[in-house]
Amino acid sequence: LVAATTLAAPPQKAKQVQQVVLAIPAQGAAPAGGAENLAGAPTINCDLAELAENLKAKFHDKCMGYQIAIFHDGKLYQEIHGGVARNSANSPARSISASDRLEMGSVSKTLNAIATIKVLSLKGKTVDEPISPYLPQGWSKHQSISGLKFRHLLSHTSGLEEFSTIDPQDYTPGKINQGIKNVLAKGVVHPQTSNYNNMNYELLRVLVPYLVDSAAMKAVEGNEKAHEKSLANCFAGLVRQHVFSPAGVGTKVYLNDYHPSGDDYKFAR
């Protein structure tokens, strides 16, 4: 697992824009044989020392700050960092460290896609599995939803309504799933061509837990807060189990989104 995080912003700007580059997996410094990817197919070999130097050259003096961590065989191979975490426009200015924690934003989609495909495979399913059987029974669904498959969500070709126009984005516990419900009730409303939409991946955090343990999810469907939390805990656990733990960072990644109410919830998008 190779993860590189950069902060990029003009010196006069306070806002920091972050970018994370993820490559899975990386082979040892002395290529031999071939690693197995999540689908069981052989992957390319890679000299980790050379990879580290190439990544450092890519980011050094070309962004505000950067962090690089390379894990191999479940262990940390190398950490590299440079630049600043905060500048004078976002005081107090300070250098970035390898241990600074950053919100990774939509890079989570890559990780969630890996976990979703892995779970589908373990269940003997493919990305062409329909999503309807894995939706809560009491949620209203437009008839067009029956034609959607996991492939549509993973590839942003669902044709669902735009996330920003229909989701109230109210993350108060008990109301988190309302945007998803709105989208499902409206159904497919756009051409099923490539169109980046957060809602595709927000749906995964509902679908995948039902794929894994539908009985436990159904048992709390009548309690919105309990339902949200069960979905979140299950989904986050699956990402940790199938992505982070095999890479050796199972206990080093914070998967919760904090809400001022004191409840922690995890999101897919």
Side-chain angles (χ1 to χ4, degrees):
L1 177 73
V2 182
T5 306
T6 71
L7 298 179
Q12 72 277 15
K13 298 289 187 180
K15 186 175 180 181
Q16 299 175 351
V17 180
Q18 45 199 44
Q19 175 187 17
V20 181
V21 180
L22 180 76
I24 299 178
Q27 273 293 90
E36 294 289 314
N37 66 16
L38 290 177
T43 62
I44 62 171
N45 292 305
C46 175
D47 185 312
L48 296 182
E50 182 179 0
L51 175 65
E53 288 303 312
N54 287 342
L55 286 171
K56 182 177 179 180
K58 179 74 173 178
F59 298 128
H60 194 69
D61 290 333
K62 297 175 183 176
C63 62
M64 192 168 130
Y66 64 91
Q67 302 164 306
I68 300 170
I70 301 175
F71 286 81
H72 176 56
D73 285 341
K75 297 179 180 178
L76 179 64
Y77 172 80
Q78 189 172 357
E79 279 184 339
I80 307 170
H81 61 277
V84 298
R86 306 174 72 96
N87 59 18
S88 57
N90 199 12
S91 62
R94 67 173 178 84
S95 299
I96 198 168
S97 72
S99 61
D100 277 325
R101 287 186 173 184
L102 306 172
E103 182 183 344
M104 63 190 300
S106 284
V107 174
S108 64
K109 288 184 174 67
T110 301
L111 305 175
N112 296 328
I114 294 169
T116 298
I117 292 171
K118 179 65 174 179
V119 170
L120 283 168
S121 177
L122 290 172
K123 292 294 183 180
K125 312 292 184 181
T126 71
V127 294
D128 288 314
E129 179 74 5
I131 71 168
S132 289
Y134 309 105
L135 288 168
Q137 293 178 331
W139 288 10
S140 176
K141 297 174 282 289
H142 188 273
Q143 61 182 13
S144 59
I145 298 299
S146 64
L148 290 182
K149 302 176 180 180
F150 279 87
R151 177 185 298 278
H152 292 117
L153 304 181
L154 290 164
S155 61
H156 291 286
T157 56
S158 66
L160 294 173
E161 184 57 276
E162 295 288 342
F163 166 81
S164 59
T165 63
I166 200 168
D167 187 349
Q169 300 185 50
D170 183 349
Y171 301 135
T172 303
K175 299 181 180 179
I176 293 173
N177 288 328
Q178 189 55 53
I180 300 178
K181 294 178 182 179
N182 293 346
V183 166
L184 292 174
K186 194 168 184 180
V188 176
V189 295
H190 299 293
Q192 291 183 299
T193 55
S194 182
N195 181 38
Y196 188 90
N197 184 355
N198 282 331
M199 188 55 66
N200 292 311
Y201 276 70
E202 189 156 346
L203 262 167
L204 291 178
R205 68 173 171 81
V206 174
L207 298 167
V208 177
Y210 273 85
L211 179 64
V212 171
D213 192 355
S214 62
M217 301 304 116
K218 290 177 181 178
V220 291
E221 283 185 0
N223 183 324
E224 286 294 337
K225 285 187 65 175
H227 189 220
E228 290 169 355
K229 206 153 194 174
S230 292
L231 292 171
N233 287 334
C234 181
F235 189 85
L238 292 168
V239 174
R240 193 180 296 281
Q241 176 185 354
H242 295 300
V243 182
F244 291 118
S245 290
V249 292
T251 61
K252 300 177 182 178
V253 180
Y254 184 62
L255 296 179
N256 289 21
D257 276 9
Y258 177 73
H259 189 276
S261 69
D263 287 309
D264 283 337
Y265 291 86
K266 298 86 178 173
F267 302 108
R269 64 165 179 258

